[in-house]
Amino acid sequence: MAVGSDADVVFVHQANDGVEDAEAQAQAVAIAKRVVELLGAIGPEPALEIDADLRPEGRNGPLARSLGAYREYYERWALGWERQALLRARPVAGDRAVAAGFMELAQGVRYRPEGLSPKETVELRRLKARVERERLPRGLEPSRHVKLGPGGLLDVQWVAQLYQLRHAGEYPSLRVTGTIEALEACVAEGLMAPDDARLLIEAWLLAMSIRNGNALWSGKLGAPAADVVPSEGRALAGLAALLNYPAGGTAQLLEDHHRMARRARAVFDRLFFA
């Protein structure tokens, strides 16, 4: 996680013996709400924003579900984007048996032996185009956005996840939750050229450094501006200093970002649409 990251979370529960499902559900939702409240409260550490919208049915679905309800949903209704979201799933807290049960369920959803169908591949590409079209801030030069812009974090992440959805059922080494680890595994298995992975990783690391630097310089964690290369001179100079560029190195920072993003986008276009 980076300095300004939020946490994408799903809350899972399982009723104790003798407890009615409705009672367990109500208690689980109450606990989940309290966890979100506590982590978002002001204190000696920065607040951690909890995003639970990746749960089944998004904001319209219950905040917490039983393990059985998750199993029924994923077996019947799981969409491509939900398979993709589960690529990042790992347990962080709670009952170990429940966590193990959910991870076993997730394994079968995200790492299917048959990989990704042509129809699912087309849908993934459409979704990526929609994200770029709808989520980029209006009026902003796309190349300045280190997350959603060309050659940004999402380009790199989605290439890695496309390969995982296609090949992780066959290659266990791809069953990792980190983008860089997934790209390195693709190289090790002969699925991706080393130079392609290297360019993607370099662009990813610089984009992450810019996000972290923006958050540290401004003191505003999670602010939309953290995803944008600054245009204001003082903020750009501060960012360059935090990234260990020499005095007057703002032009070099801009050139490095432009070059790496441009090369990463070329790799993305070739691999994601192959």
Side-chain angles (χ1 to χ4, degrees):
M1 297 183 72
V3 174
S5 293
D6 61 359
D8 294 310
V9 172
V10 293
F11 293 99
V12 189
H13 72 272
Q14 186 165 287
N16 290 326
D17 292 339
V19 177
E20 295 292 331
D21 289 344
E23 181 184 353
Q25 175 68 19
Q27 187 179 41
V29 170
I31 292 172
K33 288 181 177 178
R34 182 60 174 155
V35 169
V36 173
E37 178 185 340
L38 289 171
L39 290 175
I42 296 175
E45 297 293 337
L48 177 62
E49 179 184 351
I50 299 297
D51 185 347
D53 290 348
L54 291 181
R55 65 187 185 270
E57 301 173 84
R59 296 179 182 178
N60 296 321
L63 184 58
R65 285 177 182 254
S66 70
L67 183 56
Y70 272 107
R71 181 175 292 107
E72 180 180 0
Y73 178 87
Y74 284 131
E75 288 177 353
R76 295 183 60 187
W77 308 110
L79 301 174
W81 71 265
E82 291 172 310
R83 287 189 61 207
Q84 184 183 4
L86 284 175
L87 291 173
R88 306 295 296 275
R90 57 187 177 92
V92 294
D95 184 90
R96 292 185 179 182
V98 175
F102 183 83
M103 294 310 298
E104 182 181 359
L105 170 63
Q107 294 288 88
V109 177
R110 59 186 176 179
Y111 304 140
R112 296 190 314 200
E114 66 272 23
L116 203 61
S117 72
K119 181 179 178 180
E120 289 171 326
T121 301
V122 170
E123 184 58 33
L124 189 67
R125 291 167 178 163
R126 287 176 177 169
L127 182 59
K128 178 62 168 66
R130 180 181 172 186
V131 168
E132 289 187 23
R133 184 173 62 253
E134 296 182 1
R135 291 180 58 189
L136 269 169
R138 295 185 181 277
L140 177 71
E141 172 58 42
S143 64
R144 290 179 52 216
H145 205 286
V146 299
K147 181 178 181 180
L148 303 174
L153 293 171
L154 281 196
D155 276 4
V156 180
Q157 183 180 13
W158 283 53
V159 168
Q161 292 178 351
L162 173 67
Y163 274 69
Q164 287 181 288
L165 291 170
R166 281 178 173 170
H167 303 292
E170 181 180 0
Y171 298 100
S173 64
L174 270 66
R175 300 174 189 177
V176 293
T177 56
T179 299
I180 291 178
E181 293 85 351
L183 293 172
E184 291 173 339
C186 287
V187 173
E189 298 293 355
L191 301 170
M192 185 181 296
D195 285 347
D196 286 343
R198 177 181 56 79
L199 288 173
L200 292 173
I201 291 172
E202 287 178 353
W204 167 271
L205 291 174
L206 180 58
M208 288 294 289
S209 295
I210 290 172
R211 291 187 84 198
N212 288 335
N214 280 337
L216 290 170
W217 174 257
S218 67
K220 299 177 180 178
L221 303 185
D227 292 330
V228 179
V229 178
S231 57
E232 189 271 322
R234 186 168 179 268
L236 184 59
L239 174 63
L242 283 170
L243 299 188
N244 293 320
Y245 281 83
T250 55
Q252 186 61 51
L253 169 58
L254 293 174
E255 171 58 26
D256 287 348
H257 172 253
H258 180 70
R259 182 182 69 256
M260 290 186 185
R262 184 180 68 248
R263 292 178 177 177
R265 182 64 173 203
V267 174
F268 167 83
D269 285 339
R270 179 160 42 80
L271 299 184
F272 196 72
F273 296 101

